[in-house]
């Protein structure tokens, strides 16, 4: 149930972003675009077509630009008033200009550029997430296929998945006796639940028609797995992967605050200890952007892999 | 006399204990090689159950299905099915949908090149050569069903099972596909078992029409031999008195002797 809810939530929010529809045209979006340009047969020969396209682009681009500008303006005004504690956007840019223009400097130890900090965090996420993908899809297939496994494992999953990521950190540190594997484990355990649950829902929802086709063709277990099960469940699997990557990125920043070392999470914590609020703001912007791109990346891969399977 | 396909006193009950429902009672039918048989009856009479039992997708409660001297116990490529809703795999192209069936059926018997040729030949036969690399969501409902038929024929089944194959199509497409199926069947001499609820379709295509009584515990009420010369032409048939007599007989069975249980309740 929860998994289905998550799925619709992700897809819903994906549609609302205009950039999504433009970058990866879904069947619906593609159809709409064709109808819109249909009356103009040769776009180049007709000045109206260009105007129309320009107007369409403007309609997509203008609202976020206006809202962002307003947001920055209000922030600037509030932060410039008497007694304000947080830095204004202009202040942030002047304070952090060195960091912005030199993302790749390396003065040894923790004193490295923002790009290195982000890459260190991304590397941890890559390890933890990759493990979660493999284990999550494997367990999801097991739970989706076997009613016995589902009855046995589901209660365990339902309880464990509600444990907050950081609550795993102490026990993980105790088990691994090292900070880096602990951080990777926290990523793993955070990202794996939506992957397991969505995969198993996808497997359970495989249409009886496809099962019948497989039976008439006498596909063996391996053929059934690769030719029917994986492609049929792929849309569900990818919505789980997409939720998982978002959670992984949320968890790494929090985990790094505690374990230290190079990484964007500890960078934020370090900046807080040094009272460099502007550095924190810059880091938050980077964290948000990276999170957004990770989400888009998984969504694009998912759309590419599952092309053609959504429409019956 | 032993027939090519025999359905021997088949009973089918779903469930056990007090909730059990008897769907089929003593269904007995013998089909010769190259015969085209239609099973017709009101919805819910278990005609699809008969087909699924022959396909091996369902097991009989008692009784047996014997095809070419062997008892049928599970699904297999010697009894390929054309499903009502085409059931093409949406992530494979037209070519690959048929290719999967061909590779699976003829691995070890035909070389890779021969299998590829065979896929193209069957798609050619149903007139789908122009859409080899399209995926199912890019072609129309009628085309999907053509590919479904090609997939079933490509397996060179001993008996071709069709479960309301044209039910989801519009009238014009349906007529066109019926003509194609008649042509292909007369070319290849397939043995066909088709479930339908369309009287005209049954009379036009079949050598014999099996009429089922209403469920629960449905059985064969009457078998009608259709002695019309082939090839049959849809337009000529409309004015053919024999054709209309057969048609009237099926209608009488369905609407006088075994009225639709739903319309009686209304």
């Amino acid at each position: 149930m929860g998994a289905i809810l998550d799925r619709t939530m992700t897809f819903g929010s994906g549609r609302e972003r205009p950039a999504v529809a433009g970058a990866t045209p879904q069947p619906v979006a593609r159809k709409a675009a064709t109808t819109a340009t249909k009356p103009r047969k040769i776009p180049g020969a007709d000045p109206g077509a260009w105007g129309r396209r320009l107007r369409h682009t403007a309609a997509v681009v203008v609202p976020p630009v206006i809202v962002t500008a307003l947001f920055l303006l209000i922030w600037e005004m509030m932060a410039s008033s008497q007694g304000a504690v947080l830095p204004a956007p202009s202040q942030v840019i002047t304070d952090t200009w060195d960091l912005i223009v030199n993302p790749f400097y390396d003065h040894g130890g923790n004193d490295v550029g923002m790009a290195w900090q982000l890459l260190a965090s991304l590397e941890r996420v890559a390890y933890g997430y990759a493990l979660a993908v493999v284990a999550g899809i494997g367990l999801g297939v097991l739970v989706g296929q076997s009613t016995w496994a589902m009855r046995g494992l589901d209660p365990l999953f339902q309880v464990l998945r509600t444990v907050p990521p950081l609550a795993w950190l102490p026990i993980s540190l105790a088990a691994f006796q090292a900070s880096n594997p602990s951080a990777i484990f926290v990523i793993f355990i955070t990202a794996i639940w939506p992957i397991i649950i969505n995969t198993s829902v996808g497997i359970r929802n495989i249409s009886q028609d496809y099962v019948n086709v497989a039976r008439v063709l006498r596909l063996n277990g391996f053929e059934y797995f690769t030719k029917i099960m994986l492609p049929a469940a792929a849309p569900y699997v990818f919505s789980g992967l997409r939720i998982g990557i978002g959670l992984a990125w949320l968890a790494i920043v929090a985990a790094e605050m505690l374990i230290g070392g190079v990484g964007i999470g500890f960078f934020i914590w370090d900046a807080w200890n040094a009272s460099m609020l502007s550095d924190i703001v810059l880091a938050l912007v980077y964290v948000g952007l990276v999170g957004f791109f990770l989400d888009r990346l998984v969504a694009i891969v998912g759309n590419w892999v599952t092309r053609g399977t959504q429409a019956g | 006399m032993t027939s090519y396909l025999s359905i021997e006193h088949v009973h089918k009950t779903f469930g056990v204990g007090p909730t059990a429902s008897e769907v089929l009672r003593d269904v007995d039918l013998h089909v010769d090689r190259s015969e085209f048989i239609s099973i017709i009856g009101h919805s819910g009479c278990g005609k699809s159950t008969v087909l699924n039992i022959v396909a091996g997708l369902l097991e009989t409660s008692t009784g047996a299905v014997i095809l070419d001297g062997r008892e049928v116990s599970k699904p297999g490529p010697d009894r390929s099915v054309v499903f009502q809703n085409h059931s093409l795999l949406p992530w494979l192209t037209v070519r690959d949908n048929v290719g999967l069936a061909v590779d699976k059926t003829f691995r070890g018997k035909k070389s890779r090149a021969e299998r590829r040729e065979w896929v193209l030949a069957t798609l050619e036969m149903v007139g789908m050569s122009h859409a080899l690399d399209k995926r199912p969501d890019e072609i129309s409902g009628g085309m999907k069903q053509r590919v479904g038929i090609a997939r079933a024929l490509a397996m060179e089944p001993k008996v071709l099972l069709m479960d309301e194959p044209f039910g989801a199509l519009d009238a014009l497409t349906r007529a066109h596909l019926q003509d194609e199926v008649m042509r292909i069947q007369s070319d290849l001499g397939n043995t066909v078992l088709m479930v339908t609820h369309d009287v005209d379709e049954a009379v036009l295509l079949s050598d014999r029409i099996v009429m089922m009584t209403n469920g629960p515990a449905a059985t064969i009420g009457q078998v009608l031999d259709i002695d019309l010369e082939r090839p049959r032409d849809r337009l000529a048939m409309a004015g053919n008195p024999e054709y209309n007599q057969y048609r009237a007989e099926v209608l009488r069975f369905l609407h006088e002797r075994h009225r639709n249980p739903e319309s009686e309740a209304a």
Side-chain angles (χ1 to χ4, degrees):
Chain A
M1 226 36 228
I4 293 168
L5 209 66
D6 285 348
R7 169 180 160 79
T8 42
M9 276 166 60
T10 357
F11 281 8
S13 64
R15 285 229 179 90
E16 274 158 31
R17 291 185 201 135
V20 180
T24 52
Q26 306 219 319
V28 185
R30 203 187 304 154
K31 231 168 253 169
T34 336
T35 18
T37 51
K38 211 171 216 167
R40 321 256 169 210
K41 277 191 180 126
I42 314 154
D46 192 340
W50 280 107
R52 192 175 293 228
R53 187 170 298 176
L54 209 66
R55 223 174 307 151
H56 179 74
T57 317
V60 171
V61 170
V62 168
V65 168
I66 290 180
V67 171
T68 313
L70 269 178
F71 171 73
L72 289 173
L73 191 70
I74 293 170
W75 177 8
E76 181 79 39
M77 275 162 39
M78 289 177 74
S80 313
S81 61
Q82 211 59 318
V85 182
L86 298 177
S90 55
Q91 183 70 38
V92 170
I93 292 178
T94 18
D95 286 352
T96 60
W97 188 249
D98 281 345
L99 288 173
I100 296 172
V101 293
N102 297 315
F104 289 105
Y105 75 85
D106 188 347
H107 295 167
N110 281 350
D111 193 8
V112 296
M114 297 295 277
W116 297 122
Q117 307 274 10
L118 286 166
L119 284 173
S121 299
L122 280 172
E123 190 189 344
R124 291 191 182 105
V125 167
Y127 283 124
Y129 185 67
L131 289 173
V133 169
V134 173
I137 293 178
L139 281 169
V141 168
L142 177 71
V143 171
Q145 272 294 89
S146 147
T147 306
W148 198 95
M150 186 194 71
R151 294 209 175 120
L153 289 169
D154 196 55
L156 197 65
F157 290 167
Q158 295 301 339
V159 171
L160 290 183
R161 79 186 179 94
T162 63
V163 175
L166 282 189
W168 289 102
L169 193 59
I171 206 158
S172 165
L173 277 168
F176 291 105
Q177 300 286 331
S179 63
N180 212 33
S182 307
I184 290 171
F185 176 77
V186 169
I187 300 302
F188 168 80
I189 204 75
T190 308
I192 196 171
W193 308 116
I195 301 177
I196 294 176
I197 291 167
N198 279 278
T199 303
S200 68
V201 170
I203 302 276
R204 280 186 185 272
N205 282 355
I206 292 176
S207 156
Q208 187 61 38
D209 297 335
Y210 304 153
V211 178
N212 283 342
V213 170
R215 290 180 65 196
V216 169
L217 295 182
R218 286 229 192 110
L219 298 185
N220 62 34
F222 178 73
E223 288 165 333
Y224 179 70
F225 180 72
T226 54
K227 306 266 185 205
I228 308 274
M229 193 194 277
L230 279 186
Y236 286 88
V237 174
F238 271 96
S239 66
L241 293 181
R242 208 171 148 190
I243 299 167
I245 193 75
L247 292 179
W249 188 240
L250 289 183
I252 190 62
V253 174
E256 283 176 348
M257 287 189 177
L258 296 178
I259 60 166
V262 176
I264 195 71
F266 188 67
F267 176 88
I268 293 173
W269 193 244
D270 207 29
W272 162 244
N273 286 328
S275 302
M276 313 228 288
L277 291 184
S278 294
D279 285 13
I280 298 180
V281 173
L282 179 69
L284 292 193
V285 171
Y286 282 154
V287 167
L289 288 176
V290 170
F292 174 74
F293 283 117
L294 286 177
D295 180 68
R296 294 305 321 142
L297 187 69
V298 176
I300 288 167
V301 172
N303 280 336
W304 183 76
V305 171
T306 62
R307 67 201 184 283
T309 57
Q310 272 100 347
Chain B
M1 175 203 119
T2 54
S3 37
Y4 191 54
L5 169 69
S6 21
I7 301 173
E8 308 253 3
H9 305 286
V10 163
H11 290 251
K12 179 69 188 175
T13 306
F14 285 111
V16 281
T19 57
S21 63
E22 189 180 9
V23 180
L24 297 177
R25 177 179 293 172
D26 200 23
V27 173
D28 202 64
L29 179 67
H30 299 269
V31 181
D32 289 327
R33 201 186 279 260
S34 296
E35 231 186 335
F36 197 121
I37 306 277
S38 289
I39 303 177
I40 197 165
H42 292 293
S43 40
C45 75
K47 51 194 193 296
S48 288
T49 309
V50 174
L51 195 90
N52 283 334
I53 285 173
V54 176
L57 294 168
L58 289 175
E59 284 178 5
T60 61
S61 296
T62 64
V65 174
I66 293 160
L67 172 62
D68 202 11
R70 280 214 198 134
E71 186 174 350
V72 164
S73 58
K74 57 182 182 187
D78 58 340
R79 283 154 287 125
S80 60
V81 185
V82 177
F83 296 95
Q84 181 175 9
N85 58 354
H86 66 78
S87 290
L88 298 179
L89 303 177
W91 47 88
L92 296 181
T93 60
V94 163
R95 184 205 304 265
D96 292 343
N97 262 290
V98 180
L100 179 64
V102 169
D103 284 346
K104 193 58 197 159
T105 316
F106 297 111
R107 187 171 300 153
K109 294 177 208 147
K110 290 184 184 204
S111 74
R112 180 183 289 266
E114 278 173 333
R115 294 201 299 259
R116 208 162 36 214
E117 276 299 299
W118 180 235
V119 170
L120 297 182
T122 35
L123 282 167
E124 169 82 51
M125 190 162 58
V126 298
M128 286 301 296
S129 299
H130 61 284
L132 294 177
D133 295 310
K134 293 234 161 70
R135 281 195 307 275
D137 62 335
E138 297 170 319
I139 58 180
S140 70
M143 292 189 196
K144 282 181 215 171
Q145 201 51 286
R146 281 168 188 268
V147 180
I149 291 169
R151 176 173 65 182
L153 288 172
M155 296 157 79
E156 293 193 318
K158 288 177 176 164
V159 50
L160 179 66
L161 304 171
M162 302 207 276
D163 189 359
E164 298 188 23
F166 316 118
L169 304 176
D170 65 87
L172 288 174
T173 312
R174 190 186 311 163
H176 199 64
L177 270 181
Q178 286 164 351
D179 292 344
E180 298 266 303
V181 166
M182 272 198 286
R183 175 181 60 79
I184 292 169
Q185 200 258 346
S186 79
D187 285 354
L188 303 180
N190 303 96
T191 310
V192 183
L193 201 58
M194 177 177 78
V195 163
T196 183
H197 50 220
D198 180 333
V199 175
D200 284 295
E201 179 172 291
V203 177
L204 184 66
L205 298 180
S206 314
D207 296 314
R208 279 193 291 159
I209 299 180
V210 173
M211 294 177 260
M212 304 259 310
T213 63
N214 288 325
T219 188
I220 296 174
Q222 189 189 339
V223 178
L224 183 67
D225 285 301
I226 307 292
D227 251 335
L228 293 169
E229 217 166 289
R230 289 177 189 272
R232 297 172 186 167
D233 178 69
R234 169 182 312 278
L235 289 176
M237 285 301 154
N240 183 323
E242 272 179 281
Y243 174 89
N244 285 315
Q245 212 158 9
Y246 289 129
R247 199 173 171 277
E249 198 152 341
V250 179
L251 285 172
R252 246 195 317 275
F253 178 90
L254 290 175
H255 298 289
E256 271 178 26
R257 291 171 49 198
H258 295 278
R259 287 164 58 110
N260 188 338
E262 281 164 37
S263 66
E264 260 169 39

